[in-house]
């Protein structure tokens, strides 16, 4: 995906055990500003120095990240500890990170989403301004310019982006064939008809889980794109139009319809996305809403033949065809005792060689594009989606408080305790209270 069009990407339960994580970090220097006082020139010797790297990498791929960071330590003499919190997405990880930072410690480098998940760290001056490091290492020439812009908050380059993700439908060809579906849908009506045919074979159409809220959110935001259209959808996300309207009510109505028609898994609200999403690979569901990382995380990790799977743009009735998307990158702790070493680590991490070693299939880094031989489905997805604009994935469009309220409304609609029209009113109340 090469561009972010229409809108610039919108810019956290403490848990036991955080103290032990904080104890191993090098991030102990007092922070009075978020801009480094100076930037060392040349290579940084890491001998005797420690860094802590906090991430939410999938369990299937975290060892590749650890291997790249071990290569960095071998080259520069440092010791980097990797702490990983997979599976919960933006529901838990930002809370744990923020708790550490508010306690005066935290990791030296952390992975984070863009939009309103990443922006608060810049606003609170908890993340370092990386502008000087971007200049030193030439990130402007190495990294997609729009992705860099998407992690620039409050006038500072708060993050170094290395992922630009787009979401669509990823499906099991055999399941569709059994249901008498010869090709993925190109209209919303065709998608509903396909769902009915799949249910008739005893298989669940959409693999999604409601635990944490963010995965089943992918369905609702798509339905909102269907009912509202691109222009109104964007205005709803930035709060410039009211959510208390027919288009939103219709989207919540479709959301409930998907459950009532058994197009969603039984007990969807209690399902963990990490468990249910890969079920399309096993054939116990037909498709899921996800991104190109599923080729490595779900298909290749199961040693399945990629020829048995495909992907498609989720269809809408609008002339402008959009999909959900987001950016992810790395930030440096403003309190890090070794900011130069941390910045050098980031530059090593976002090199084409490291990106390829970690099998990043949607990298923002030039020269790290996926290989059609190694990742045919990812290349196919990029061909289909790369020229299309995307709307900001909803858990990045809203701050944590508002996103949590939104997730609660989703759950209430699916449980039948809140009618679609009331859900629209409740969403408007949440957005109206949002202090931008």
């Amino acid at each position: 995906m090469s561009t972010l069009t229409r809108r610039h990407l919108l810019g956290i339960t403490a848990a036991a055990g955080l103290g032990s994580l904080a104890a191993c970090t090098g991030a102990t220097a007092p922070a009075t500003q978020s801009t480094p006082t100076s930037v060392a020139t040349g290579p940084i010797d890491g001998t005797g120095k420690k860094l802590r790297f906090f991430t939410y990498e999938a369990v299937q791929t975290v060892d590749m990240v650890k291997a790249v960071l071990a290569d960095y330590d071998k080259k520069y003499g440092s010791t980097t500890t990797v702490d990983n919190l997979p599976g919960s997405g933006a529901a838990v990880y930002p809370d744990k990170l923020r708790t550490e930072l508010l306690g005066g410690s935290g990791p030296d480098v952390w992975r984070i989403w863009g939009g309103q998940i990443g922006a608060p760290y810049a606003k609170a001056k908890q993340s370092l301004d990386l502008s000087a490091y971007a200049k030193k290492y030439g990130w402007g020439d190495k990294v997609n310019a729009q992705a860099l812009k998407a992690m620039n908050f409050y006038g500072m380059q708060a993050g170094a982006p290395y992922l630009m993700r787009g979401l669509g439908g990823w499906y099991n060809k055999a399941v569709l064939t059994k249901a008498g579906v010869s090709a993925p849908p190109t209209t919303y009506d065709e998608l509903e008809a396909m769902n009915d045919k799949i249910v008739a074979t005893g298989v669940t159409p959409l693999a999604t889980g409601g635990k944490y809220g963010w995965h089943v959110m992918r369905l609702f935001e798509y339905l909102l794109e269907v009912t509202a259209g691109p222009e109104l959808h964007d205005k709803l996300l930035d709060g410039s139009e009211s959510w208390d309207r027919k288009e939103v009510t219709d989207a919540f109505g479709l959301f409930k319809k998907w459950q009532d028609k058994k197009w969603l898994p039984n007990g969807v609200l209690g399902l963990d996305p990490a468990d249910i999403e890969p079920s399309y690979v096993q054939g116990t569901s037909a498709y899921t809403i996800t991104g190109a990382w599923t080729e490595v995380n779900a298909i290749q990790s199961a040693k399945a033949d990629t020829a048995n799977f495909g992907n498609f743009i989720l269809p809408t009735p609008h002339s402008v065809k959009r999909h959900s998307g987001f950016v992810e990158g790395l930030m440096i702790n403003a309190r890090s005792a070794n900011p130069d070493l941390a910045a050098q680590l980031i530059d090593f991490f976002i090199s084409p060689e490291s990106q390829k070693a970690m099998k990043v299939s949607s990298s923002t880094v030039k020269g790290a594009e996926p290989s059609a031989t190694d990742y045919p489905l990812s290349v196919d997805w990029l061909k289909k989606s790369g020229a299309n604009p995307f709307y900001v994935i909803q858990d990045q469009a809203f701050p944590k408080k508002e996103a949590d309220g939104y997730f609660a409304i989703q759950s209430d609609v699916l449980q039948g305790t809140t009618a679609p029209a009331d859900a629209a009113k409740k969403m408007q109340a949440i957005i109206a209270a949002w202090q931008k």
Side-chain angles (χ1 to χ4, degrees):
M1 187 180 308
S2 58
T3 58
L4 299 177
T5 45
R6 294 182 61 82
R7 302 172 73 236
H8 172 51
L9 281 176
L10 300 168
I12 225 174
T13 72
L18 290 177
S20 62
L21 293 179
C24 66
T25 180
T28 56
T32 57
Q33 59 183 21
S34 59
T35 303
T37 55
S38 64
V39 174
T41 60
I44 309 301
D45 183 7
T47 303
K49 298 177 181 179
K50 296 181 179 181
L51 293 173
R52 178 170 158 240
F53 187 98
F54 191 28
T55 186
Y56 44 87
E57 192 71 33
V59 294
Q60 298 93 336
T61 55
V62 68
D63 286 344
M64 290 185 281
V65 172
K66 291 179 178 179
V68 163
L69 297 180
D71 287 343
Y72 174 79
D73 287 342
K74 182 178 180 180
K75 182 173 182 178
Y76 294 104
S78 51
T79 301
T80 302
T81 301
V82 179
D83 288 310
N84 192 39
L85 183 62
S88 67
V92 176
Y93 177 87
D95 283 330
K96 293 196 174 186
L97 173 59
R98 190 178 193 187
T99 298
E100 290 192 43
L101 295 173
L102 290 174
S105 58
D108 295 278
V109 179
W110 64 80
R111 176 181 174 183
I112 198 68
W113 299 269
Q116 289 296 327
I117 300 179
Y121 303 103
K123 185 176 183 179
K125 298 188 182 297
Q126 295 167 321
S127 61
L128 200 65
D129 186 351
L130 304 182
S131 299
Y133 294 116
K135 182 177 181 180
K136 173 182 177 179
Y137 292 111
W139 292 344
D141 296 324
K142 298 177 182 178
V143 180
N144 179 285
Q146 291 298 320
L148 277 171
K149 181 180 179 182
M151 296 203 78
N152 188 301
F153 307 117
Y154 305 102
M156 61 181 275
Q157 189 62 52
Y162 70 96
L163 291 168
M164 188 181 287
R165 317 263 210 181
L167 279 68
W170 288 68
Y171 67 95
N172 186 310
K173 292 180 179 179
V175 176
L176 266 63
T177 298
K178 183 179 179 181
V181 179
S182 60
T186 58
T187 68
Y188 179 74
D189 287 343
E190 288 180 1
L191 177 59
E192 287 202 346
M194 181 182 79
N195 285 344
D196 279 335
K197 291 179 180 179
I198 293 168
V199 169
T201 68
V203 175
T204 299
L206 179 63
T208 188
K211 187 177 181 180
Y212 310 119
W214 56 267
H215 200 278
V216 74
M217 170 205 75
R218 296 174 179 177
L219 171 61
F220 178 76
E221 65 180 4
Y222 160 59
L223 297 173
L224 186 60
E225 180 78 359
V226 170
T227 61
E231 185 175 356
L232 178 56
H233 192 170
D234 285 347
K235 290 180 178 180
L236 291 169
L237 292 185
D238 66 23
S240 60
E241 288 286 353
S242 173
W243 286 70
D244 186 8
R245 62 193 313 126
K246 181 181 184 300
E247 295 88 348
V248 178
T249 298
D250 289 347
F252 277 119
L254 288 176
F255 193 51
K256 185 66 166 65
K257 177 182 180 179
W258 276 61
Q259 182 186 51
D260 293 345
K261 296 274 286 183
K262 302 187 184 303
W263 298 344
L264 306 182
N266 185 41
V268 61
L269 291 176
L271 298 178
D272 191 320
D275 297 329
I276 191 64
E277 181 180 291
S279 66
Y280 82 96
V281 177
Q282 287 78 42
T284 55
S285 63
Y287 63 96
T288 191
I289 301 175
T290 191
W293 60 89
T294 193
E295 182 167 15
V296 173
N297 293 2
I299 298 172
Q300 292 186 358
S301 68
K303 302 186 185 305
D305 187 345
T306 56
N308 295 330
F309 304 91
N311 50 61
F312 61 97
I313 302 288
L314 293 167
T316 73
H318 312 294
S319 58
V320 177
K321 304 302 180 184
R322 305 198 307 174
H323 55 277
S324 174
F326 59 97
V327 169
E328 296 176 67
L330 302 175
M331 289 183 172
I332 294 178
N333 194 333
R335 292 177 176 268
S336 176
N338 298 297
D340 291 338
L341 188 65
Q344 182 174 255
L345 180 148
I346 290 179
D347 187 62
F348 187 90
F349 192 93
I350 66 173
S351 69
E353 295 78 13
S354 293
Q355 293 285 285
K356 290 179 179 179
M358 292 183 290
K359 298 185 178 181
V360 178
S361 58
S362 48
S363 178
T364 65
V365 179
K366 298 173 185 178
E369 296 81 5
S371 160
T373 300
D374 296 332
Y375 313 109
L377 294 174
S378 297
V379 171
D380 181 51
W381 169 250
L382 289 173
K383 288 179 180 178
K384 294 172 182 173
S385 65
N388 293 348
F390 66 76
Y391 52 89
V392 183
I393 196 168
Q394 287 184 357
D395 59 356
Q396 286 193 23
F398 305 132
K400 183 68 167 57
K401 179 181 178 182
E402 285 70 22
D404 286 347
Y406 161 58
F407 292 160
I409 293 172
Q410 281 187 158
S411 296
D412 290 344
V413 170
L414 292 184
Q415 291 179 85
T417 59
T418 296
D422 293 331
K425 289 180 172 62
K426 289 182 178 182
M427 272 301 302
Q428 176 55 25
I430 289 173
I431 300 303
W434 176 11
Q435 295 182 354
K436 303 179 186 64

